[in-house]
Amino acid sequence: MVELVEADVEQFYQGRRRMPYIAPWSEERPDRALTWLRGGRLAYTDETEQDRVRGALLLRQGSARGRGYANPAGVHPQRQREVMDRLGCQVCGADTGREAADLWNGRRLFLVAEGTPLHDGAETASPPVHRACAIEALTEEIGCKHLRGAPALALAEQVTPWGVHGLVHDPVTREPCGRHALPYDHHLIRATIAFRVIVRLHACTPITPDELRTAA
């Protein structure tokens, strides 16, 4: 995939607040044209290779970023997967590799909501973030009101795929049985509609908001 730079990603606003790249917009409606295949496997009636990630079926959602109104606390499944795959910034959408090399000794910066501790081996569905974008998020200048309180910040040396978070179904009754996080090798992954992908952080070092702001 082509590496993105800041100028490549258009930014959208609601009022004065910049909306996160992975936020869904009201004109981006989910596609639920699902069917069941043999073996209790969920699929789309017109499925393509892009609809799956390591065997898990990803929820389809229309692509209309910037149209209507945004939900900054929500997540667009395809954009979340996209930036996680290339380790782009969840706020601006641009690549985080240059900043990781120049500022963090090759590590990527992660920011998650309060109550989600980050440590070595932690799993997260929150893609990386740039330092400046993280500072904006912490001050709510981009509308991230769900980050109130004491969000967790950490630097990770390595990021590896782990699994998905989504709506799991009973493959026999075909009834939903709740939202869960599953590793890619779980037997129920075939009966799950994934809302977001999850990665595991390695050599993870927590940092404070003060350390974030004074980093140079």
Side-chain angles (χ1 to χ4, degrees):
M1 185 174 291
V2 176
E3 181 177 330
L4 299 181
V5 295
E6 297 285 353
D8 292 330
V9 185
E10 186 176 3
Q11 304 298 295
F12 292 98
Y13 295 78
Q14 280 186 169
R16 297 180 179 179
R17 290 180 173 175
R18 182 161 59 112
M19 293 295 104
Y21 179 75
I22 64 171
W25 290 73
S26 57
E27 295 298 314
E28 298 180 314
R29 295 181 174 83
D31 178 355
R32 302 188 184 277
L34 296 166
T35 188
W36 285 90
L37 304 179
R38 289 183 179 179
R41 185 170 180 259
L42 269 173
Y44 287 111
T45 55
D46 58 345
E47 188 175 315
T48 70
E49 291 183 1
Q50 298 301 315
D51 291 321
R52 289 192 182 270
V53 51
R54 296 176 179 266
L57 189 68
L58 191 67
L59 177 67
R60 278 183 186 171
Q61 193 156 345
S63 180
R65 183 169 170 258
R67 299 179 189 175
Y69 56 88
N71 173 15
V75 174
H76 187 282
Q78 279 75 33
R79 285 198 292 276
Q80 187 266 355
R81 174 195 181 180
E82 173 208 325
V83 291
M84 198 71 96
D85 282 351
R86 59 180 173 81
L87 297 180
C89 177
Q90 62 172 295
V91 173
C92 72
D95 179 69
T96 61
R98 184 179 302 172
E99 180 176 283
D102 293 345
L103 185 62
W104 306 118
N105 294 320
R107 298 173 294 177
R108 309 277 178 157
L109 175 66
F110 286 82
L111 168 66
V112 299
E114 184 177 22
T116 311
L118 291 176
H119 52 79
D120 189 35
E123 288 109 27
T124 182
S126 294
V129 65
H130 288 119
R131 173 180 173 270
C133 293
I135 292 172
E136 282 189 56
L138 291 172
T139 58
E140 297 185 9
E141 290 179 11
I142 59 167
C144 292
K145 295 182 179 180
H146 60 296
L147 291 177
R148 287 174 176 166
L153 289 157
L155 297 168
E157 290 186 14
Q158 187 180 9
V159 183
T160 57
W162 181 83
V164 300
H165 180 272
L167 182 61
V168 182
H169 294 71
D170 185 311
V172 177
T173 67
R174 300 182 177 181
E175 293 296 321
C177 50
R179 298 188 180 194
H180 301 279
L182 298 179
Y184 286 119
D185 60 358
H186 197 284
H187 72 281
L188 287 177
I189 202 80
R190 67 185 187 276
T192 298
I193 303 173
F195 300 143
R196 59 198 71 180
V197 300
I198 299 174
V199 297
R200 175 169 283 167
L201 307 182
H202 304 273
C204 189
T205 305
I207 65 171
T208 66
D210 286 343
E211 289 173 324
L212 175 74
R213 294 185 179 94
T214 57

